[in-house]
Amino acid sequence: MVTEVDVLVIGAGPAGSTAAKHAAMGGASVLLIDKKSEIGAPKRCAEGVSVGGLESLGIEPNPRWITKKLDGVRLVSPNGTDVWLTSDKVELPEAGYILERKVFDKHMAMDAARAGSEIMVKTLATGMEKTDDGYLVSAECMGREFEIKARIVIAADGPESRVARWAGLNTATKPKDMESAAQFEMVGVEMEDNNCIEFYFGSVAPGGYAWIFPKGDDIANVGLGVLSTETDKSAYEHLVEFVESCPATRNAQPVELNIGGDPVGGMPKELVADSLMVVGDAAGQVNPLTGGGIISGMTGGMLAGRVAAAAVSEGDVSKKRLSEYERLCREEIGKEIDRYLKVKDYMLTLSDSELDSIAEAFQDVEFEKVSTTELVKKLIKVSPKALIKLGKLF
Ligand SMILES: Cc1cc2nc3c(=O)[nH]c(=O)nc-3n(C[C@H](O)[C@H](O)[C@H](O)COP(=O)(O)OP(=O)(O)OC[C@H]3O[C@@H](n4cnc5c(N)ncnc54)[C@H](O)[C@@H]3O)c2cc1C
């Protein structure tokens, strides 16, 4: 049996569902498939997003998928020196929400369906072949094998993406650019203020950081990301040590374990080929410093969906036509990613004692507002080393 569509989106994470929604809104016939039986589960995410990020995508916050509205940030250096940045003291333009991804991802897929996309769950793409006017994709659903003929394929298959590579794009992430993350969702977490997210820096998580993201009452996502090139231990081993030593989690119990990769090396050289676009984690659309990829991946999905619909209606699905998506992506997400790559590389050079000195210097800094960019600007102010490395960028 062969199913025929204008646009096939492989992967119903936030990036894929957004691509499907916008392609369908533009008038294309769209099929969105995911190998999972439940879209959004299991989650591999600390579930933090910015308020402005959702606004920029035109998504109304919905209490069904928001567990917490945040009120500030606590930054903790290796010796325990902490910096509190809360809304009573500073403006928080990037203040955010903690989502319930299992519900959020489903809602994003529902939006895609309401815009006209067809959805197939428990449907795995197993390979694809180029045809004259698109791709013939092999798929499998509940033991049944079938083929999907698509003018355009949007690869939204997450951090372990294979689809773009089937089309010949070099999107493989090198080990030095793949953050290994481990996280418990925990109960019995005793935070000093459960309206703030907490970040812990230094050798607690080599190459990354540890976090506690509150989800309400005594529940929180407690996790960390490490680079395998910076440590001999696994992310899970670092997480167990962190949970045992951190006062907030010492008495907490896990109800869920999430293990996953987060591509933090930026976008690959090419995001399009004839009849193919790649979005989200599969396209490295992740902030290299924070590891956040929900909003940037959805932005990529939105741009790809719009370009796909226009290309189909014009009858031109060539690489040249689809390169509009690549250009828009580099403008809207790429510049930020490139800047934060440099900040991440700089952070990797800092020892625990240097991080402690920065935290101590931050005690005397007046913060008017706090965003990731503002924090880097203040870092440049207190650290001559940061000034040399990052001064020109911020
Ligand atoms: C531990 C951890 C914490 C994180 N915390 C945050 C955070 O707080 N905030 C933030 O913004 N980002 C965070 N991220 C990153 C964020 O989770 C990702 O950037 C985001 O999920 C990317 O969305 P996506 O749609 O590109 O991919 P995914 O959400 O990974 O979705 C890809 C989908 O493709 C499907 N798929 C894969 N292969 C196939 C196939 N062959 N056929 C059919 N379906 C397929 C998968 O089942 C999956 O549903 C975190 C990541 C990790 C690992």
Side-chain angles (χ1 to χ4, degrees), residues 284-320:
Q285 290 168 349
V286 171
N287 180 318
L289 182 65
T290 64
I294 301 172
I295 298 298
S296 43
M298 291 174 78
T299 306
M302 178 178 74
L303 299 172
R306 285 179 183 162
V307 171
V312 165
S313 77
E314 290 160 24
D316 179 3
V317 295
S318 66
K319 178 178 177 181
K320 189 161 174 252

Side-chain angles (χ1 to χ4, degrees), residues 271-351:
L271 300 177
V272 296
D274 286 334
S275 290
L276 183 112
M277 289 185 266
V278 49
V279 301
D281 271 21
Q285 290 168 349
V286 171
N287 180 318
L289 182 65
T290 64
I294 301 172
I295 298 298
S296 43
M298 291 174 78
T299 306
M302 178 178 74
L303 299 172
R306 285 179 183 162
V307 171
V312 165
S313 77
E314 290 160 24
D316 179 3
V317 295
S318 66
K319 178 178 177 181
K320 189 161 174 252
R321 175 66 189 88
L322 302 186
S323 64
E324 182 191 355
Y325 160 66
E326 183 159 325
R327 183 178 54 74
L328 292 169
C329 260
R330 305 261 176 230
E331 265 168 36
E332 291 222 8
I333 334 171
K335 284 183 190 155
E336 279 296 280
I337 289 181
D338 290 348
R339 276 201 319 166
Y340 284 113
L341 261 178
K342 300 213 168 70
V343 183
K344 186 197 76 174
D345 288 346
Y346 165 73
M347 293 294 286
L348 283 178
T349 68
L350 297 177
S351 64

Side-chain angles (χ1 to χ4, degrees), residues 18-174:
T18 310
K21 174 172 121 180
H22 285 275
M25 279 164 62
S29 65
V30 180
L31 173 61
L32 171 64
I33 65 170
D34 202 290
K35 64 183 179 186
K36 290 179 184 166
S37 48
E38 182 179 357
I39 289 173
K43 72 165 193 258
R44 291 195 297 186
C45 189
E47 309 182 281
V49 289
S50 64
V51 173
L54 288 179
E55 263 169 28
S56 69
L57 290 156
I59 295 171
E60 282 288 316
N62 182 331
R64 286 197 187 170
W65 43 253
I66 290 175
T67 61
K68 188 89 193 168
K69 183 154 184 352
L70 296 168
D71 196 37
V73 185
R74 178 183 178 222
L75 308 172
V76 187
S77 80
N79 70 4
T81 305
D82 57 4
V83 182
W84 286 91
L85 302 161
T86 47
S87 70
D88 54 343
K89 291 187 230 143
V90 292
E91 226 187 288
L92 297 164
E94 279 176 19
Y97 300 116
I98 303 299
L99 306 173
E100 189 64 76
R101 278 283 303 262
K102 288 168 197 169
V103 185
F104 177 77
D105 283 24
K106 269 187 220 145
H107 273 244
M108 295 305 107
M110 288 173 193
D111 280 353
R114 290 190 187 107
S117 308
E118 190 187 331
I119 301 180
M120 291 181 71
V121 289
K122 195 104 186 107
T123 302
L124 172 76
T126 54
M128 63 190 201
E129 240 174 68
K130 185 80 187 75
T131 60
D132 287 345
D133 57 350
Y135 274 100
L136 195 60
V137 177
S138 313
E140 201 183 291
C141 175
M142 304 296 288
R144 180 176 68 94
E145 289 179 8
F146 66 106
E147 288 178 317
I148 305 158
K149 196 171 181 309
R151 304 289 319 280
I152 293 177
V153 171
I154 298 184
D157 52 336
E160 294 99 17
S161 172
R162 293 161 66 206
V163 175
R165 275 184 275 162
W166 291 338
L169 292 188
N170 181 9
T171 54
T173 308
K174 297 188 188 101

